[in-house]
Amino acid sequence: MYPDLNGKTVIITGAATGIGKACAIRFGQESANVVINYHSDKQVKETEKIIEEIKHSGGNAVAVQGDVTKEEDIKNLIRSAVETFGSLDIMINNAGIENEVPSHELTLEDWNKVISTNLTGQFLGCREALDYFLENDIQGSIVNMSSVHEIIPWPHFVHYAASKGGIKLMTQTLALEYAPKKIRINSIAPGAINTPINAEKFSDPKLKEGVLKLIPMGYIGEPEEIAATAVWLASTQASYVTGLTLIADGGMTLYPGFQAGKG
Ligand code: BGC
């Protein structure tokens, strides 16, 4: 547990499902005030359940609809956090999408959609949080959700890999720029995690087997294992950590093909 997170206000984008949801619940367990951002009206019921769970575990929560690609929606998220809880201390830029297409067939529309959600959306989240932190003299913390694909090339997902590669240098650049203000900006690179985005893939035994071969630790990660890294990065336990990509991937980035020692 991280006592310094008690009473802190955190915004988590894309928090209705998957890793974002696990982060929301975990910050709730740390008695934080959680702003759950969600995208679609269809997710309202899910966010209500998350709010209930957070309140039950001692935290506080509110759900705010918004599209991370829209400046006005991101501004509204910050406004809602401040109006509801009085401040903003932590921004978790988590919302992301992916789709599989051979690169020579990828439409400009699909490219733009993934880049604007995954990369531009995170930039807007960073920019607005930074602006608020600076104006209010808050030594806040930002955590961007990246992926092992900020390192590992991923055929058929060039837009996704490009967005995650962009997050890496965006995080490092912002970390360098705002270090003198003691604002910390880090990212997390999850590997294969049990989330709705991957549900179809992992429900096919053959596809799942293929993914497991890429994970030296031999299992698909749980969203809670990623949330555990997010609370640490956001807490004062990580007070001297900035510009880091924390890899949580069961060893996926360790060249699993070399596991038997050949080469
Ligand atoms: C993707 C997953 C994928 C994993 C490992 C993640 O960033 O969202 O779909 O299984 O990387 O390749």
Side-chain angles (χ1 to χ4, degrees):
M1 298 299 262
Y2 300 97
D4 66 282
L5 295 178
N6 187 332
K8 290 273 158 62
T9 299
V10 53
I11 294 175
I12 304 166
T13 65
T17 63
I19 291 171
K21 174 180 166 182
C23 287
I25 290 168
R26 179 63 199 264
F27 274 97
Q29 288 165 354
E30 301 288 346
S31 301
N33 302 317
V34 187
V35 178
I36 300 164
N37 158 253
Y38 65 99
H39 183 227
S40 151
D41 290 342
K42 290 182 198 129
Q43 296 172 314
V44 171
K45 276 238 150 61
E46 193 56 42
T47 60
E48 283 168 0
K49 279 193 226 150
I50 301 169
I51 292 175
E52 211 173 289
E53 186 166 344
I54 289 175
K55 287 192 173 160
H56 194 71
S57 65
N60 227 326
V62 70
V64 181
Q65 199 267 336
D67 177 343
V68 295
T69 68
K70 296 192 175 131
E71 283 184 298
E72 200 34 59
D73 285 13
I74 296 276
K75 284 180 195 287
N76 183 50
L77 269 183
I78 312 258
R79 212 180 299 126
S80 304
V82 176
E83 274 171 20
T84 314
F85 299 120
S87 174
L88 174 70
D89 306 286
I90 300 157
M91 182 81 189
I92 311 279
N93 292 304
N94 166 77
I97 53 172
E98 66 187 58
N99 69 317
E100 181 173 5
V101 193
S103 299
H104 64 284
E105 289 172 6
L106 180 63
T107 61
L108 180 59
E109 195 188 347
D110 263 7
W111 169 271
N112 283 338
K113 208 169 150 194
V114 168
I115 296 291
S116 63
T117 304
N118 297 10
L119 182 57
T120 312
Q122 291 209 9
F123 165 68
L124 291 174
C126 287
R127 189 191 70 187
E128 291 305 313
L130 284 166
D131 195 45
Y132 176 82
F133 292 157
L134 292 172
E135 229 168 63
N136 294 278
D137 210 13
I138 291 172
Q139 295 178 359
S141 172
I142 299 177
V143 179
N144 296 324
M145 204 54 70
S146 183
S147 160
V148 287
H149 297 296
E150 71 164 48
I151 301 164
I152 305 175
W154 203 15
H156 296 193
F157 291 86
V158 66
H159 43 350
Y160 184 82
S163 73
K164 298 300 182 179
I167 288 168
K168 177 184 164 68
L169 269 178
M170 179 182 74
T171 300
Q172 290 178 337
T173 299
L174 294 176
L176 183 59
E177 195 168 341
Y178 296 97
K181 297 287 180 193
K182 314 284 187 297
I183 298 172
R184 299 182 303 105
I185 302 143
N186 294 288
S187 66
I188 301 170
I193 308 297
N194 255 325
T195 61
I197 236 184
N198 291 318
E200 210 182 310
K201 183 164 63 186
F202 298 153
S203 64
D204 177 329
K206 258 214 174 122
L207 290 180
K208 186 172 177 185
E209 200 44 48
V211 176
L212 286 174
K213 282 205 183 99
L214 300 172
I215 309 171
M217 286 181 76
Y219 73 96
I220 309 282
E222 292 301 328
E224 292 73 20
E225 294 182 278
I226 304 304
T229 68
V231 281
W232 177 73
L233 277 176
S235 79
T236 53
Q237 292 297 308
S239 54
Y240 208 46
V241 178
T242 196
L244 174 77
T245 297
L246 192 160
I247 300 171
D249 69 346
M252 195 177 234
T253 44
L254 299 176
Y255 297 96
F258 279 81
Q259 204 164 20
K262 305 262 187 311

